[in-house]
Amino acid sequence: QGNTLLARHYKQEMANLTQWVNALDARQFAEALTAMVAARRIVVIGMRNAYPAALHLRQQLLQARGQVLVLPQPGQSLSEELVDLTADDLVVMMAFRRRPRIVRPLLQQLQRDGVPVLLMCEPQAHSLFPLSRWQLCAPLDSVSAYDSYASVNSLINLLANAFLHETLDSGRPRIHDIATLYQQLDELEQR
């Protein structure tokens, strides 16, 4: 309550969540989801602050299907990884505020190569929209100098859950096989 940092933070986080939920284009979301399900490979690209979000999306999608990659790999350039992409693949480009300069030429190259792109960005990145087939926006507004990725993670959660529901026939056995491997390798603590 009141005007404390916690109260202002909570109010801003709720405003961000409300903004992306109200702005979500259901048709675009469904089309992007269908394309992700049909894609031969999904390549998630994230740089700078978008890299942890890209890793998280990859990890969630990997539970339901194989052939989900994240780029760039540490210490590597992109060209060797991108040269083989075709219209059968799909790129999820996470391009949030303070993007590296390579994002625009990268999107232009993917467009020239006919690779479908789902752009995840903040709403103000509208100049990048023509370089992608679909756009999912999440605001990063914060009460301080640091961007908030809470709405980004919420959007990732929705996308990953929707993807899982669309791929239950193949995803459920994969999840079961992964859980079996967890046990066989004693990889995760059970408590």
Side-chain angles (χ1 to χ4, degrees):
Q1 291 184 355
N3 196 27
T4 65
L5 177 60
L6 178 58
R8 292 191 317 274
H9 173 79
Y10 175 77
K11 184 177 178 182
Q12 184 60 62
E13 293 297 315
M14 293 307 294
N16 287 350
L17 289 169
T18 300
Q19 182 181 340
W20 85 252
V21 167
N22 288 336
L24 184 70
D25 181 328
R27 181 191 54 79
Q28 253 199 60
F29 185 86
E31 287 177 9
L33 186 61
T34 299
M36 288 173 69
V37 170
R40 175 180 59 162
R41 288 177 297 187
I42 297 174
V43 177
V44 185
I45 300 176
M47 296 173 226
R48 295 180 42 86
N49 284 345
Y51 194 72
L55 286 172
H56 183 57
L57 178 60
R58 178 201 180 257
Q59 179 60 29
Q60 297 303 295
L61 295 177
L62 199 57
Q63 301 296 314
R65 68 161 284 165
Q67 296 298 311
V68 183
L69 311 170
V70 68
L71 297 177
Q73 291 295 309
Q76 299 298 307
S77 59
L78 288 167
S79 297
E80 296 89 349
E81 304 285 351
L82 299 176
V83 71
D84 295 323
L85 293 180
T86 71
D88 295 329
D89 301 308
L90 184 138
V91 169
V92 179
M93 172 63 80
M94 296 205 167
F96 296 102
R97 187 166 33 226
R98 300 181 66 91
R99 292 170 279 284
R101 291 187 190 277
I102 192 172
V103 168
R104 183 173 297 280
L106 176 57
L107 287 169
Q108 290 167 336
Q109 184 62 49
L110 291 168
Q111 192 174 58
R112 280 191 296 272
D113 292 342
V115 178
V117 174
L118 166 58
L119 176 66
M120 295 182 71
C121 58
E122 78 281 1
Q124 296 82 4
H126 47 80
S127 69
L128 296 177
F129 290 6
L131 300 174
S132 62
R133 193 167 298 172
W134 311 279
Q135 306 83 36
L136 295 177
C137 298
L140 307 175
D141 299 333
S142 173
V143 295
S144 70
Y146 300 113
D147 288 338
S148 172
Y149 281 77
S151 63
V152 173
N153 283 301
S154 183
L155 182 54
I156 288 170
N157 182 265
L158 175 67
L159 186 59
N161 276 298
F163 185 87
L164 177 60
H165 288 284
E166 288 294 315
T167 59
L168 270 181
D169 289 343
S170 58
R172 187 175 282 143
R174 180 178 173 85
I175 290 169
H176 175 74
D177 292 345
I178 291 169
T180 300
L181 274 173
Y182 286 155
Q183 290 176 335
Q184 290 173 349
L185 298 174
D186 195 25
E187 195 172 14
L188 297 177
E189 189 175 316
Q190 296 300 314
R191 298 182 226 171

